[in-house]
Amino acid sequence: NEMGFAGSFDLFYLPIDFRAFTNLGYCFINFISAEKAAEFRSQVDGLKLPLFKSSKVLASAKARVQGFQQNFTNFRNNVVMSKTMGPEYQPIIVDPSTGCEVPFPPPSGSLRRTRKKAVIDMESLRRRLLAALSTTPQAEHAEEIVGKVMKFHEHRRQWKNLEQLVRSVEEDREKLADFAAQGFEHVRTKGQAGSAPQSGESPGVGAASEQ
């Protein structure tokens, strides 16, 4: 709201790690129009939060679930809407015309979990990779690079390798530069003969396996 987006969104959710009672480092915002979403992305991508002593910057990306009704349906019978959960841990609905919160309707059926822990972790890793790449010369190709890397690791279920990759590029600027350059090369040559990653390879896999 302080950035001028009051009345531009109708749903907000900040996922929480209930073991540590801290947020997972990302949130979901459903904007009322694609134009407002694009404007938001142009303002926050690469922005550093002033209250945190960290070199990390913000990065935005399209969510898997799109639109108010789809998000509402996705959350309504989610376990996060249980009566045992405090309202501060639940998604909120906002009336764009007033900017005020609207009570979330009660569940319409039995509560269910919509994600497994591994999926939640993958989403977090994806956003961390986007944030890291936003600080490199290849920032404009971050979505394509990360998409290629995520698809590779999800297909092979190499969660540990991906975790190592993310940690290494966050902690080592040289590895980040190598990862960004290698990832861009895969994206740049996409569709050309012989450009597909070889078996056992993906952009940044080498960095992930380094100790």
Side-chain angles (χ1 to χ4, degrees), residues 41 45-46 59-60 129-147 180 183-184 187-188:
R41 296 185 67 176
D45 281 358
S60 62
L129 268 182
L130 285 171
L133 283 171
S134 69
T135 66
T136 70
Q138 294 82 11
E140 64 179 298
H141 301 283
E143 288 274 6
E144 294 175 277
I145 295 172
V146 172
F184 173 69
V187 170
R188 186 179 68 83

Side-chain angles (χ1 to χ4, degrees), residues 119-137:
V119 178
I120 293 176
D121 288 344
M122 289 292 283
E123 178 70 14
S124 177
L125 293 174
R126 173 175 172 273
R127 292 175 183 275
R128 287 165 61 188
L129 268 182
L130 285 171
L133 283 171
S134 69
T135 66
T136 70

Side-chain angles (χ1 to χ4, degrees), residues 33-96:
S33 70
E35 292 74 20
K36 285 296 181 181
E39 182 182 347
F40 177 80
R41 296 185 67 176
S42 69
Q43 290 194 34
V44 303
D45 281 358
L47 184 67
K48 184 177 179 181
L49 295 177
L51 299 181
F52 296 90
K53 297 180 180 179
S54 171
S55 60
K56 296 180 181 180
V57 296
L58 298 178
S60 62
K62 291 183 179 180
R64 176 180 57 85
V65 180
Q66 291 287 313
F68 174 81
Q69 189 58 48
Q70 288 82 357
N71 274 283
F72 171 76
T73 301
N74 188 52
F75 287 122
R76 187 174 187 182
N77 293 327
N78 190 286
V79 68
V80 76
M81 300 307 297
S82 168
K83 293 181 179 179
T84 61
M85 294 285 187
E88 65 272 24
Y89 303 128
Q90 299 175 337
I92 63 172
I93 296 175
V94 179
D95 183 346

Side-chain angles (χ1 to χ4, degrees), residues 97-115:
S97 64
T98 63
C100 296
E101 181 178 349
V102 177
F104 209 107
S108 60
S110 58
L111 299 181
R112 56 179 171 75
R113 294 183 182 275
T114 57
R115 291 183 172 186

